[in-house]
Amino acid sequence: MLKYKNLKVVLLMIILGFLLLAIAIDFSYGQNPENIDNKTKTVDNSKLIKSVKVQDYKVIVTDKNNKKHDFTIKGLCYSRGDHGQSYYKYYKADLKKLKAINANTVRTYRPLAAYDKYGNIDYKKTKEILDAFSKEGIYVVVGFDSLRDITGGYVYGKQVKAGVYKAYINKFSKHPAILGWAFGNEYNYHYDEWFNGKSNWMKILATASSNAKKLSPSKIVTTVHGEIPTNTELAEYKKMKIDLVMVNIYRGPSFGDMFNDWKIKSSSIKMPIVVAEFGRSSKSGAGKDTSSIQSNTIKKLWNEINSYKKTVGAGGFIFELNDEAWKGKQEFSTVIGSEASLGLFTDKYNNPKKDAKLAAKTIAKLWGGKI
């Protein structure tokens, strides 16, 4: 009987030991909700966005440690597929490319999201994408298209619901990867063609901006203008409480007088200039290799942007991360080159080193990356 009792004591101690171990493991994971498995790295709070504001020609980011940063955007325009609907398939490979050149921001033209076959957003998978970006310290300016995301309407014969942007912003209003929301892309070139006049788009933009402010007060609201807006246009944007008017600029290997022009026009509101698109293709429309021209042009343009970061500049977005074969080989212009080859990466292998063009290696050197 004595041996049997001792055996029971030993068994009880073993069971108790397992219970204590299980509790300890559960407690350790509870302290860090970012942990998914033992291989998942802990997120650095200094890389997570708590809030963003625009002030005195600067974009000010407050991180999760409540430390403020004068933020310079080292960005890439980022689109996947003909309407940005293939992000989920490629985001892991794209993150490796972004890290290789040490980019800190991407700008999209449609919501950075996972989409189902009907074009609807899968919010669970979308969170997975955004979480992955935040863990790598890469921020997102989330873009919204008018028909597909804001007003709704018929797109290629398909009815799209209005207000997609509100659902997305409401879901991710405080997500630490998101720098801000961007409505439209150089729609000033298409006022009559797409909106039956400027006033109609401006009403849409004013409503969307107001809703975004209410749903997500800790992020900035932006729009993208083709070239430098006039004094009147800049005042109109500011009146509707747009925090940041970004600009698409293609003038060849120099921005010319752009920065001085901006400083004069924005003197009363002290809004920084952020170049939402700039760059050059690695091929001409005839298929000629212009890789060295692309590399030299982007290098010169970035150095100009960087030289104004202490005055009126807050960075910019190179157009673009990957080549987009679906755009075709036609030459957009002699200044830009072939639309299909504007990427820093060829997008053939989903591998940073294999896909990197000369321009990607040049930018990696300028931005402190490594390819």
Side-chain angles (χ1 to χ4, degrees):
M1 290 293 291
L2 183 61
K3 290 182 179 180
Y4 178 69
K5 287 182 178 179
N6 287 340
L7 180 60
K8 286 203 299 183
V9 171
V10 171
L11 288 172
L12 285 171
M13 291 180 68
I14 292 172
I15 292 170
L16 181 62
F18 276 114
L19 286 171
L20 290 171
L21 179 61
I23 291 169
I25 291 172
D26 183 65
F27 178 78
S28 67
Y29 273 80
Q31 298 308 296
N32 183 6
E34 300 292 341
N35 272 321
I36 299 172
D37 55 42
N38 290 332
K39 295 180 181 179
T40 303
K41 63 184 180 182
T42 301
V43 178
D44 182 356
N45 280 341
S46 68
K47 294 182 178 180
L48 301 180
I49 292 177
K50 182 178 180 181
S51 65
V52 191
K53 67 178 180 179
V54 172
Q55 182 179 350
D56 295 329
Y57 291 114
K58 300 181 186 302
V59 175
I60 306 296
V61 171
T62 301
D63 65 29
K64 290 285 187 176
N65 291 329
N66 289 318
K67 184 177 179 181
K68 291 181 174 14
H69 305 266
D70 176 1
F71 189 68
T72 298
I73 294 171
K74 296 188 295 182
L76 272 295
C77 296
Y78 183 40
S79 180
R80 268 299 181 181
D82 187 4
H83 299 301
Q85 293 194 340
S86 301
Y87 287 120
Y88 191 75
K89 181 179 179 180
Y90 296 105
Y91 81 88
K92 291 180 182 178
D94 290 336
L95 275 172
K96 291 178 181 178
K97 294 176 183 178
L98 290 164
K99 291 296 291 182
I101 61 173
N102 204 30
N104 62 18
T105 315
V106 295
R107 173 204 163 204
T108 68
Y109 297 82
R110 295 217 52 223
L112 181 60
Y115 297 85
D116 65 20
K117 63 181 180 180
Y118 303 106
N120 300 312
I121 295 175
D122 181 326
Y123 285 99
K124 183 178 180 181
K125 288 183 178 179
T126 296
K127 184 177 183 300
E128 179 186 322
I129 299 173
L130 291 172
D131 287 350
F133 271 75
S134 68
K135 287 173 185 176
E136 295 296 345
I138 297 174
Y139 309 127
V140 187
V141 176
V142 178
F144 297 106
D145 174 84
S146 181
L147 280 180
R148 295 176 183 86
D149 306 311
I150 305 174
T151 64
Y154 283 93
V155 182
Y156 299 125
K158 176 186 173 184
Q159 178 70 46
V160 179
K161 293 180 180 179
V164 171
Y165 78 100
K166 289 191 285 186
Y168 188 98
I169 292 175
N170 187 53
K171 186 71 175 179
F172 301 115
S173 63
K174 296 182 180 180
H175 196 284
I178 294 174
L179 191 73
W181 319 103
F183 294 104
N185 178 56
E186 56 185 34
Y187 285 174
N188 55 298
Y189 293 150
H190 305 281
Y191 287 148
D192 293 330
E193 177 188 3
W194 292 351
F195 303 101
N196 292 319
K198 173 183 173 181
S199 62
N200 289 328
W201 164 243
M202 297 303 270
K203 288 176 184 176
I204 293 169
L205 179 59
T207 299
S209 173
S210 176
N211 287 333
K213 285 285 189 184
K214 292 174 184 175
L215 291 169
S216 183
S218 64
K219 310 294 184 182
I220 60 173
V221 175
T222 79
T223 192
V224 179
H225 195 90
E227 264 290 341
I228 301 297
T230 64
N231 290 334
T232 299
E233 288 170 324
L234 200 56
E236 288 172 335
Y237 286 132
K238 193 61 183 175
K239 186 177 180 179
M240 63 178 75
K241 301 189 186 305
I242 297 287
D243 297 301
L244 183 65
V245 180
M246 302 191 294
V247 290
N248 290 350
I249 305 289
Y250 293 98
R251 299 181 180 178
S254 174
F255 291 114
D257 64 352
M258 179 187 75
F259 294 98
N260 291 329
D261 184 19
W262 182 269
K263 187 173 183 179
I264 293 169
K265 288 181 176 177
S266 64
S267 60
S268 64
I269 56 178
K270 292 183 169 51
M271 182 188 292
I273 185 168
V274 172
V275 186
E277 284 184 18
F278 70 96
R280 175 68 169 83
S281 178
S282 62
K283 287 185 179 180
S284 69
K288 181 182 178 182
D289 186 346
T290 55
S291 296
S292 60
I293 297 175
Q294 180 190 39
S295 177
N296 290 333
T297 297
I298 292 175
K299 179 180 179 179
K300 289 177 181 177
L301 293 173
W302 174 256
N303 284 336
E304 283 188 27
I305 289 172
N306 200 45
S307 69
Y308 282 90
K309 70 179 183 179
K310 291 184 179 180
T311 53
V312 297
F317 298 88
I318 298 169
F319 192 89
E320 59 189 310
L321 180 62
N322 297 299
D323 283 345
E324 293 183 330
W326 58 268
K327 286 187 172 180
K329 297 180 180 180
Q330 74 272 16
E331 186 162 278
F332 188 82
S333 73
T334 55
V335 172
I336 297 174
S338 170
E339 283 198 80
S341 302
L342 280 157
L344 295 188
F345 295 89
T346 63
D347 200 27
K348 293 179 180 178
Y349 307 100
N350 285 326
N351 181 301
K353 289 186 178 180
K354 288 185 177 181
D355 282 331
K357 298 181 185 180
L358 178 60
K361 296 174 183 178
T362 299
I363 285 298
K365 289 180 181 178
L366 290 173
W367 288 357
K370 186 178 181 182
I371 296 179

